[in-house]
Each structure stands twice: as C-alpha cells, then as structure tokens.
C-alpha cells in the first residue's frame, strides 16, 4: 500500500512538473521568441487599413464578390474555396471529391462557364477551376492573374501595362528559388489596386 501511494505521489509530481515545464513554460518561450524574431507572422500576418482596422490576413484568401455572389470585375478573383460558404477559416477543408465525382465535374464546369463569362474564352488555369485543399489559399498562379489583367484594367480605367506591372510587383518567386511555382497573393494585389 505504501509503495503504491509513493508511486502515485511521484507520478502526480512528475505530471505537475512536466505540465508546467512543457505546457506552460515552453509555450511562453515559443511565444516570446515569435514576438521578438517574427512578430508579423506570429500574429497572423494581419493586413490593416490606414486607420488601423484589420481587413484580412496575407495567409487567408478572401472573396471579391457582391452580395449576390457575383464576381466584382474591378478585382482579381481568388482561387475557388470549398471551406464552408467560402474562405471560412472555421471550416477549413477541401471538398474531398475524387476526380470522377459528378459534383466535382459539375463544379468545374460551372467555374469554367463563370470564368469565360468574366474573362472571355481562352486557356483557363487549373487553379481558377479547382479549390485548394484548405479552401483558404490566398494565392493564385501567375497565369491566372495574367488572364484577369484585361478585365481589371478595363473596369478600373487603367492601362493593361499598369495592371500587369502591379501583378509583376506582387508575384512571389519560388520558395528557396526552386520549390513550388511563382504565385500572386490576391489580397495584397487587390489592396495595391485600391491604393492607386
């Protein structure tokens, strides 16, 4: 009986010590390092307006549509989202539909028709037709951005070269020079357009 009590007491003390060490002290240390070394990403890469109001995050895509869900022609359109009602960070996920799923095929056809209506016929990049795995992807391919340049320029009364230069300025190169593809953060690009 005394051995069992002693063993239990040792186990409880070890649990308390390791909970304080790993559950509290370690988290405080990592939070402090993040705040000192990388405060912007550690706080969610929040985008703020000139008056200090949070308008989004560089890490989470946004919908640039009207109240009826129609694409606003003066904005670059983000990659489609399958997260909740669209870009819902509390429901992050893809559709999990397989390549032969009828719902996926129907969604792609619907997005294709919407893209042709918005930007005219032509080669439509895959990221304009399919949602990302998280449903929150803030980036689109350079080809997707270039397809939208003429529409955005016309809707804003700008030259295509002005809009193209903004796309080039907001193109993010491959990570480490060779990982992934170049991409454009739609939220940042649309903010730059609004700032013109």
């Amino acid at each position: 009986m005394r051995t069992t009590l002693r063993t239990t007491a040792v186990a409880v003390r070890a649990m308390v010590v390791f909970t304080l060490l790993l559950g509290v002290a370690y988290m405080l240390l990592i939070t402090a390092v993040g705040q000192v070394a990388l405060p912007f990403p550690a706080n969610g890469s929040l985008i703020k307006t000139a008056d200090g109001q949070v308008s989004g995050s560089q890490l989470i895509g946004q919908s640039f549509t009207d109240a009826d869900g129609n694409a606003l022609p003066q904005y670059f359109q983000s990659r489609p989202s399958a997260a909740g009602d669209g870009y819902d960070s509390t429901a992050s996920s893809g559709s999990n539909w397989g390549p032969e799923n009828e719902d996926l095929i129907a969604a792609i056809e619907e997005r294709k028709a919407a893209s042709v209506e918005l930007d005219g016929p032509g080669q439509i990049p895959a990221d304009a037709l399919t949602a990302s795995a998280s449903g929150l992807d803030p980036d689109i391919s350079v080809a997707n951005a270039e397809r939208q340049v003429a529409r955005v320029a016309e809707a804003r009364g700008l030259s295509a070269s002005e809009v193209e230069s903004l796309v080039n300025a907001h193109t993010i190169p491959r990570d480490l020079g060779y990982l992934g593809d170049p991409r454009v953060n739609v939220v940042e690009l649309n903010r730059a357009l609004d700032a013109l």
Side-chain angles (χ1 to χ4, degrees), residues 123-193:
Q123 185 71 31
I124 302 172
D127 65 314
L129 303 175
T130 57
S132 66
S134 71
L136 304 174
D137 196 347
D139 302 324
I140 59 174
S141 66
V142 175
N144 191 349
E146 288 173 349
R147 177 169 164 72
Q148 301 180 55
V149 165
R151 169 185 41 86
V152 171
E154 182 180 341
R156 288 184 176 261
L158 300 169
S159 70
S161 61
E162 287 177 289
V163 177
E164 185 72 41
S165 67
L166 271 177
V167 169
N168 292 335
H170 287 84
T171 297
I172 303 163
R174 297 172 189 265
D175 294 330
L176 301 177
Y178 69 94
L179 295 174
D181 291 320
R183 60 204 182 277
V184 178
N185 186 296
V186 178
V187 177
E188 287 291 339
L189 178 57
N190 283 337
R191 284 187 71 230
L193 279 167

Side-chain angles (χ1 to χ4, degrees), residues 51-66:
D51 62 349
Q53 296 291 327
V54 174
S55 65
S57 169
Q58 287 181 338
L59 306 175
I60 299 176
Q62 293 181 11
S63 178
F64 294 94
T65 57
D66 62 18

